[in-house]
């Protein structure tokens, strides 16, 4: 699970208009008026330039179709206390009439059955991707509509290098190591790591989660109950693989100081062949090396067995309506959410947001010009070989994963000790969240 601050940094680097979270000091939805046959509602979105641009474009298109509804933007700057602020505003009835927020475990922490409007009776719900629906729903209702595309974590790779060396996409860890050794023999860096940007150290662990789910479907729920750990298989494999890459001499020489920008440049230049990364980085490649964008693909972090190799997907964020929104404003808010996922609203998203993966609703189609790696992600999903990242299924993540992963990935700490340290690292957070069993 990426920390919110990590995700924000990543998305800022990529230029993607995705997340969101904290509160604005601006006026909330409760202050909007309904008069003269016109209804005014508020929409809370991120305060970064890209998010505001998307919101303005969406509102303009919506108001054109709905001239009796006015939508005001409430900008919400991100921050460490974002989640608590959202909870506070929901509890005091001061949340904007529609707001953009996370899906998954952070949404579940908002107690949506009591704070959000159940949207399960809306016509667009039937068009939702089943995995997205699962991360915005409880047993009592469906609370969110997708906003933005999905993105995936795995091994981004240079297809030209693969073609030159006659390599095939690996489906097992042994095949991945074999490919890496052939790449090394050709004088090319097999695996790029960029611990100068510490958050990138987590990807080998986080992107392995779909493989854990493939082997044990209830692992996340058992982990939340403190009945599973990273020191035991299937979760221990990610730590083993992280250590193995360094032990086998497969990393770039400057792995300790290299940054994500360095890593992406090496990947697009072909001086490195493979890089554990998220597809939101495609926006940076599109900006900095547009001629190379379709040379870059992505494959799932390989598991020990091909049958267990699945792509880990970060689900779309969502649009939600608080229960404090009622009457004419509730009707208007529902229309706005539906519009965002209509053909017209999808076009606004595609035109203004970075596309890092497929959309989570069938009414939103990928543009024909998407990068090759996005098509790769779509194929995994189509083949039923993808599942959500841990953060959508469990709220538990230790604050020191980046540090521990760097120590293991640098050969300072063994995989066994690193996994043990991380299991200890999550205890305090689980206790702070008041989760039973910890």
């Amino acid at each position: 699970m990426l920390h919110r601050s990590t995700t924000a940094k990543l998305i800022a680097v990529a230029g993607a208009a995705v997340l969101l979270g904290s509160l604005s000091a601006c006026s909330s939805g409760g202050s909007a008026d309904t008069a003269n046959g016109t209804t005014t509602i508020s929409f809370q979105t991120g305060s970064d330039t890209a998010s505001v641009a998307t919101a303005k474009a969406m509102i303009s298109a919506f108001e054109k179709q709905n001239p009796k509804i006015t939508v005001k933007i409430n900008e919400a700057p991100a921050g460490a206390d974002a989640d608590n602020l959202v909870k506070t505003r929901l509890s005091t009835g001061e949340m904007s009439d529609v707001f953009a927020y996370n899906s998954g475990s952070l949404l579940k922490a908002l107690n949506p059955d009591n704070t959000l409007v159940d949207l399960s009776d809306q016509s667009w719900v039937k068009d939702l991707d089943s995995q997205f629906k699962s991360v915005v729903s409880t047993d009592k209702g469906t609370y969110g509509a997708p906003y933005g595309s999905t993105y995936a974590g795995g091994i981004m790779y240079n297809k030209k290098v693969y073609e030159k060396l006659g390599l095939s996409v690996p489906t097992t860890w042994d095949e991945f190591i074999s490919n890496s050794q052939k790449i090394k023999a050709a004088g090319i860096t097999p695996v790029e790591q960029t611990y100068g940007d510490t958050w990138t150290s987590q990807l080998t662990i986080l992107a392995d989660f779909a493989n854990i789910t493939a082997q044990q479907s209830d692992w996340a729920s058992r982990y939340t109950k403190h009945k599973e750990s990273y020191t035991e298989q299937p979760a221990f494999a990610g730590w083993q693989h992280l250590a193995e890459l360094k032990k086998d001499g497969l990393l770039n020489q400057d792995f300790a100081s290299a940054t994500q920008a360095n890593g992406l440049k090496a990947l697009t230049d072909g001086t490195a062949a493979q890089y554990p990364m998220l597809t939101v980085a495609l926006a940076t490649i599109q900006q900095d090396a547009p001629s190379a964008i379709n040379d870059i693909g992505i494959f799932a972090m390989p598991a020990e067995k091909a049958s267990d190799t699945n792509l880990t997907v970060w689900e779309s964020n969502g649009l939600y309506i608080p229960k404090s929104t009622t009457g004419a404003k509730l009707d208007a808010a529902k229309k706005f959410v539906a519009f965002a996922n209509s053909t017209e609203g999808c076009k606004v998203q595609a035109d203004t947001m970075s596309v890092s993966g497929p959309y989570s609703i069938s009414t939103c189609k990928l543009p024909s010009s998407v990068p090759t790696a996005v098509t790769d992600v779509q194929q995994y999903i189509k083949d039923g070989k993808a599942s959500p990242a841990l953060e959508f299924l469990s709220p538990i993540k230790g604050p020191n994963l980046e540090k521990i992963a760097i120590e293991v990935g640098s050969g300072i700490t063994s995989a066994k000790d690193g996994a043990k340290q991380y299991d200890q690292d999550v205890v305090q957070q689980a206790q702070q969240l008041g989760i039973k069993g910890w």
Side-chain angles (χ1 to χ4, degrees):
M1 178 179 179
L2 291 178
H3 283 302
R4 179 180 303 280
S5 58
T6 299
T7 307
K9 285 187 288 185
L10 175 59
I11 289 168
V13 169
V18 279
L19 187 86
L20 320 96
S22 67
L23 264 306
S24 171
C26 303
S27 61
S28 67
S31 64
D33 294 325
T34 300
N36 302 321
T38 298
T39 302
T40 300
I41 61 173
S42 55
F43 172 43
Q44 179 175 295
T45 187
S47 60
D48 59 281
T49 302
S51 293
V52 172
T54 297
K56 286 183 176 179
M58 188 69 73
I59 290 169
S60 177
F62 173 75
E63 290 180 343
K64 186 176 181 180
Q65 282 197 11
N66 298 271
K68 291 189 176 182
I69 301 175
T70 298
V71 184
K72 294 183 177 180
I73 295 177
N74 280 350
E75 297 181 19
D81 296 326
D83 300 324
N84 288 333
L85 289 170
V86 168
K87 292 174 185 176
T88 299
R89 285 294 177 96
L90 285 172
S91 67
T92 58
E94 297 178 340
M95 179 56 76
S96 298
D97 299 303
V98 179
F99 67 101
Y101 191 66
N102 303 75
S103 54
S105 61
L106 288 176
L107 170 66
K108 301 295 175 63
L110 299 183
N111 193 11
D113 293 332
N114 294 327
T115 61
L116 304 181
V117 173
D118 179 10
L119 301 173
S120 57
D121 63 346
Q122 298 297 290
S123 61
W124 48 262
V125 171
K126 69 180 185 303
D127 300 318
L128 291 177
D129 172 75
S130 60
Q131 291 189 354
F132 176 80
K133 186 177 180 181
S134 71
V135 299
V136 293
S137 300
T138 68
D139 293 338
K140 296 182 179 180
T142 296
Y143 298 96
Y147 190 57
S149 69
T150 59
Y151 58 99
I155 305 291
M156 293 179 69
Y157 71 107
N158 189 302
K159 293 191 172 188
K160 283 189 173 181
V161 172
Y162 259 59
E163 291 170 3
K164 179 181 179 181
L165 300 180
L167 303 177
S168 299
V169 169
T171 58
T172 68
W173 185 256
D174 285 345
E175 290 174 358
F176 175 66
I177 294 298
S178 176
N179 280 359
S180 298
Q181 290 170 340
K182 292 174 182 176
I183 293 166
K184 183 179 181 180
I188 298 169
T189 296
V191 180
E192 185 78 11
Q193 290 283 33
T194 53
Y195 299 159
D197 279 329
T198 58
W199 63 265
T200 68
S201 67
Q202 307 171 85
L203 267 296
T204 304
I205 304 295
L206 299 180
D208 190 59
F209 185 70
N211 303 335
I212 297 173
T213 300
Q215 296 171 71
Q216 188 176 330
S217 61
D218 64 346
W219 193 91
S221 61
R222 287 179 55 81
Y223 180 61
T224 304
K225 297 173 184 176
H226 204 189
K227 294 182 178 180
E228 296 292 346
S229 78
Y230 274 96
T231 55
E232 303 292 337
Q233 298 292 7
F236 183 49
W239 292 98
Q240 290 177 303
H241 295 162
L242 182 62
E244 186 176 347
L245 295 175
K246 175 60 172 64
K247 181 180 178 182
D248 289 356
L250 300 176
L251 305 183
N252 47 306
Q253 290 186 350
D254 62 345
F255 68 87
S257 60
T259 63
Q260 185 209 30
N262 300 144
L264 293 176
K265 186 176 187 304
L267 186 67
T268 54
D269 287 350
T271 54
Q274 304 166 129
Y275 184 22
M277 186 43 57
L278 300 171
T279 54
V280 288
L282 292 170
T284 300
I285 296 175
Q286 184 74 69
Q287 176 179 307
D288 295 344
S291 63
I293 189 66
N294 289 320
D295 297 337
I296 306 303
I298 188 169
F299 56 79
M301 187 68 65
E304 299 303 318
K305 297 179 181 178
S307 59
D308 295 329
T309 296
N310 285 262
L311 187 70
T312 300
V313 174
W314 276 254
E315 298 293 339
S316 305
N317 293 302
L319 294 177
Y320 308 96
I321 301 173
K323 282 193 173 179
S324 55
T325 298
T326 59
K329 287 198 286 185
L330 175 58
D331 293 338
K334 287 181 177 180
K335 286 183 179 180
F336 183 74
V337 170
F339 177 82
N341 285 278
S342 67
T343 302
E344 297 87 348
C346 291
K347 186 178 186 304
V348 173
Q349 293 188 51
D351 289 346
T352 61
M353 290 181 170
S354 174
V355 180
S356 304
Y359 291 103
S360 298
I361 190 167
S362 61
T363 50
C364 288
K365 307 296 184 184
L366 285 174
S368 58
S369 59
V370 295
T372 302
V374 173
T375 305
D376 292 341
V377 176
Q378 185 178 39
Q379 191 62 50
Y380 276 100
I381 294 174
K382 183 179 179 181
D383 293 344
K385 297 286 288 182
S387 60
L390 177 59
E391 67 187 78
F392 296 94
L393 305 174
S394 174
I396 296 175
K397 189 203 180 198
N400 293 307
L401 178 57
E402 296 176 14
K403 177 183 177 182
I404 299 169
I406 287 174
E407 291 178 351
V408 173
S410 301
I412 298 169
T413 300
S414 70
K416 181 178 180 180
D417 288 343
K420 184 177 180 180
Q421 288 176 27
Y422 186 59
D423 279 341
Q424 294 169 344
D425 187 44
V426 303
V427 172
Q428 184 176 359
Q429 189 216 28
Q431 291 174 343
Q432 289 175 343
L433 291 172
I435 299 174
K436 294 180 180 180
W438 295 82

